[in-house]
Amino acid sequence: MSITKPDLSVTLGPLKLQNPLMTSSGTFGYGQEYSELFDLNSLGGIVVKGLSVNPKTGNPPPRIVETACGMLNAIGLANMGLKAFVEKIVPWLAELTTRVVVNIYGHTIDDYRAVAEGLKGIDAVSALEVNISCPNVECGGMVFGTDPKVAAQVTEQVLKIADKPVIVKLSPNVTDIRVMARAVEGAGAHVISLINAPTGMAVDIKTRRPKLANVSGGLTGPAIRPIALHMVHQVVRTVKIPVIGIGGIMNYQDALEFFIVGARAVQVGTANFINPRTALNIVEDLERYCIENGIAAITDIIGTLDLPPWK
């Protein structure tokens, strides 16, 4: 049977996407920045930049350094704050038909609760992504993402407030990612996304100073893809809730690797800075791939990794 229009839709617990391609928080602004370049409604979803209760200016510059296979950044979750986001951005987001996910973070659990409360009842927001994993803020962020008990507490508290599906984004900067995955699943998370950026640094050999004002930052791009793929594989085999794969995805072949190990959707991050249409290109290439290979639905590929019998 020839396939003319494969089904690319996926479900992430209570959240349904028309296709499995999302953009990653911190790499796509609020969506407006890319809206003149292509139709955002062609994507499965967009994840807007990390949102806190109050506005945040982020870390001092320099905040970005190019590396051999990616980017080192220490933006520090700069954002306009909850009030301005609701007043200025939400009306624009409401015009989109694609899924809009808001990445939320805080310095305390009460901060997370406050952001979740502020987004309650807003139909334009389809889901919350709880960021417990940013490596670039002094408190909050990764502190919540490296202690399973605290990660579970944050998840539980957001779930008590939220009226939308809750995705918890995990940090790779832990000894065993499976422990963190079990903790947030046990706390009731609907979906897990991973990985956020591993911590790294770069040094200017002339000045002998760190290239980032923050000294260290998060490493993203193709360099981290094998790490991300391995961790996604581990988590998929550990939990029953859906998993979103993130990390160095540049093209449809990269995305397919994540689907084969079991991710039900993927997020494209650093590649947006190289080609803003990357996520859209992957959607189109996945459709072509399915047609050429007689695959009726993208879900037929998910979790089809052929492991040796002894693994």
Side-chain angles (χ1 to χ4, degrees), residues 11 15 35 64 79 108 118 135 144 148 154 191 207 247 287 291-292 295-296 305:
T11 55
L15 186 66
S35 61
I64 294 177
N79 76 97
T108 66
F144 293 107
V154 175
V191 184
T207 63
E287 184 169 291
I291 292 172
E292 291 177 354
I295 298 169
L305 182 67

Side-chain angles (χ1 to χ4, degrees), residues 74-152:
I75 304 299
L77 293 169
N79 76 97
M80 63 175 61
L82 177 62
K83 184 174 185 294
F85 175 78
V86 172
E87 291 177 354
K88 299 178 181 178
I89 305 298
V90 165
W92 182 84
L93 293 172
E95 299 297 318
L96 298 178
T97 57
T98 191
R99 299 297 189 186
V100 174
V101 178
V102 178
N103 181 285
I104 68 171
Y105 83 97
H107 295 303
T108 66
I109 291 179
D110 283 344
D111 285 347
Y112 284 92
R113 287 172 54 94
V115 182
E117 180 69 39
L119 297 174
K120 205 170 178 179
I122 298 178
D123 293 338
V125 178
S126 300
L128 306 180
E129 183 178 62
V130 182
N131 185 355
I132 58 170
S133 51
C134 180
N136 299 322
V137 291
E138 291 183 0
C139 53
M142 199 163 59
V143 173
F144 293 107
T146 55
D147 183 326
K149 291 183 180 178
V150 180

Side-chain angles (χ1 to χ4, degrees), residues 198-248:
T199 307
M201 70 177 293
V203 173
D204 186 323
I205 61 172
K206 292 181 180 177
T207 63
R208 302 186 186 182
R209 293 175 176 170
K211 289 186 176 180
L212 291 173
N214 194 54
V215 181
S216 63
L219 179 63
T220 61
I224 72 167
R225 189 170 60 250
I227 300 169
L229 193 66
H230 172 59
M231 289 191 165
V232 167
H233 180 222
Q234 286 186 303
V235 170
V236 165
R237 301 176 76 186
T238 300
V239 300
K240 294 181 179 178
I241 57 177
V243 172
I244 301 172
I246 315 167

Side-chain angles (χ1 to χ4, degrees), residues 44-62:
I46 64 172
V47 185
V48 301
K49 64 192 307 179
L51 182 67
S52 53
V53 178
N54 298 310
K56 194 170 190 303
T57 56
N59 294 323

Side-chain angles (χ1 to χ4, degrees), residues 67 69-73 135 195-200 217-221 223-224 227 270:
T67 68
C69 297
M71 186 180 78
L72 201 57
N73 84 86
I195 60 174
N196 207 319
T199 307
L219 179 63
T220 61
I224 72 167
I227 300 169
T270 300

